[in-house]
Amino acid sequence: MTLVRYTPWKEINTLERSLNRLFDDLVPATLKDLNTVTRVPAAELTETDDAVILKLELPGMEAKYLDIQVTEDAVSISGERKSTTESEPNGKTRSEFYYGKFQRVIPLHAQIQNTKVTAEYKDGILNLNLPKIVEEKSKVVKINLEQN
């Protein structure tokens, strides 16, 4: 009888490979490729008395690839992040970066003066200052009651 040295790490590695194969069979092929998943930028919306401030997280984007459209009650942002990765013929590149097109429409709860919107894009953050429509204040009208 031959003695075999017990190595628990070998059994753990075998279990890990078996679980990986099981998950590969269960996960649809479309989810394995992260580039097929549609991504939208994260947003932060702050409302003040005079304006709505919208911040969007767009790291790695160039301003020329962004399209921003503002209506009185919504903001639509679309764009494309282009891939600039070049790999060497003998090397491999594994990337978790997202490249491709995106679009996001953010509804607003206040009406906006879309002709007076200002935008700033710095350090991957898009800041939009969306001034609210100034409603005409009620005019005070004096009413005289005629008495008989």
Side-chain angles (χ1 to χ4, degrees):
M1 180 167 148
T2 307
L3 287 176
V4 178
R5 186 171 189 176
Y6 176 68
T7 54
W9 297 114
K10 184 176 180 182
E11 289 183 21
I12 291 174
N13 287 337
T14 304
L15 178 63
E16 181 184 13
R17 281 193 303 273
S18 297
L19 286 172
N20 285 340
R21 270 188 262 121
L22 175 66
F23 284 118
D24 284 343
D25 292 340
L26 292 177
V27 175
T30 56
L31 292 180
K32 291 179 186 176
D33 185 9
L34 292 177
N35 289 332
T36 61
V37 178
T38 303
R39 302 193 183 202
V40 292
E44 180 177 289
L45 197 62
T46 307
E47 188 171 343
T48 65
D49 291 337
D50 301 328
V52 175
I53 291 101
L54 175 64
K55 291 183 182 180
L56 283 141
E57 197 175 42
L58 299 164
M61 294 284 301
E62 291 184 45
K64 64 183 177 182
Y65 296 121
L66 293 175
D67 180 33
I68 305 163
Q69 297 180 10
V70 181
T71 63
E72 288 182 354
D73 57 357
V75 177
S76 172
I77 298 107
S78 60
E80 183 174 5
R81 183 172 179 194
K82 302 215 178 205
S83 173
T84 57
T85 306
E86 295 178 15
S87 60
E88 298 178 14
N90 296 335
K92 289 186 177 181
T93 301
R94 179 179 176 199
S95 176
E96 294 180 353
F97 287 4
Y98 171 73
Y99 298 103
K101 295 181 180 182
F102 71 89
Q103 181 177 9
R104 180 156 188 192
V105 177
I106 300 170
L108 302 171
H109 298 290
Q111 288 198 333
I112 301 300
Q113 294 181 28
N114 57 350
T115 57
K116 295 185 179 181
V117 173
T118 58
E120 178 189 17
Y121 183 64
K122 184 179 179 185
D123 297 331
I125 304 291
L126 174 66
N127 291 302
L128 293 174
N129 187 351
L130 309 157
K132 291 181 180 179
I133 290 178
V134 180
E135 295 181 11
E136 189 176 325
K137 291 187 177 182
S138 300
K139 295 181 183 179
V140 177
V141 178
K142 186 174 180 178
I143 301 173
N144 292 324
L145 292 174
E146 291 185 27
Q147 294 182 358
N148 292 338

